Amino acid sequence: MDELVTDSDRNHGTQPLDELMTRWGLTNHDLVSISTEQLTHKQVQKARTGRQLTLKLMQKVCRALNVAIWVRLSAAQKEDYFEYMHKHLFTYAKGYDPHWQDPNLNL
């Protein structure tokens, strides 16, 4: 018999993505406007607040975040930039490590 999936199973609370966007000074609109993959404001907001996303949508948000950060960096900073993966942005992603330290803190 299939288990019943409740709303509380799909809500994971504020995600690391939210803190990263705040630290980099990015808004939901920044990600939506830079994405070439038809990312919506609603999808970014769901990603930040912890509504469970599909792997494809997590990756789409991740790509938009990396591009939005990349265009703000100087040539020297681009040399040292560590590209985020979805496992760094979402606590429910496979491979998530709660003890991971952001190598971009010095940027």
Side-chain angles (χ1 to χ4, degrees):
M1 203 161 118
D2 290 333
E3 287 187 37
L4 183 64
V5 177
T6 64
D7 276 348
S8 63
D9 294 333
R10 286 189 237 120
N11 287 316
H12 301 278
T14 303
Q15 295 298 295
L17 167 69
D18 184 67
E19 181 194 338
L20 285 172
M21 287 180 65
T22 301
R23 193 168 347 121
W24 285 101
L26 296 169
T27 64
N28 294 3
H29 184 72
D30 292 330
L31 268 60
V32 170
S33 64
I34 205 143
S35 176
T36 59
E37 302 179 86
Q38 297 181 324
L39 188 63
T40 68
H41 290 87
K42 190 174 185 177
Q43 290 170 328
V44 176
Q45 188 59 33
K46 284 181 177 182
R48 292 180 83 161
T49 58
R51 182 76 174 164
Q52 188 160 326
L53 308 178
T54 64
L55 175 59
K56 285 184 93 165
L57 187 50
M58 284 191 282
Q59 292 170 333
K60 185 187 290 191
V61 169
C62 187
R63 285 189 293 271
L65 175 73
N66 280 309
V67 173
I69 294 169
W70 182 259
V71 299
R72 295 174 169 214
L73 299 176
S74 69
Q77 289 174 317
K78 287 177 181 178
E79 294 288 328
D80 295 329
Y81 180 68
F82 172 84
E83 192 169 323
Y84 297 108
M85 294 178 61
H86 69 282
K87 70 179 184 179
H88 303 128
L89 308 181
F90 302 100
T91 59
Y92 55 91
K94 184 177 181 179
Y96 172 75
D97 177 6
H99 304 293
W100 177 76
Q101 296 291 318
D102 185 355
N104 292 321
L105 283 176
N106 60 341
L107 298 177

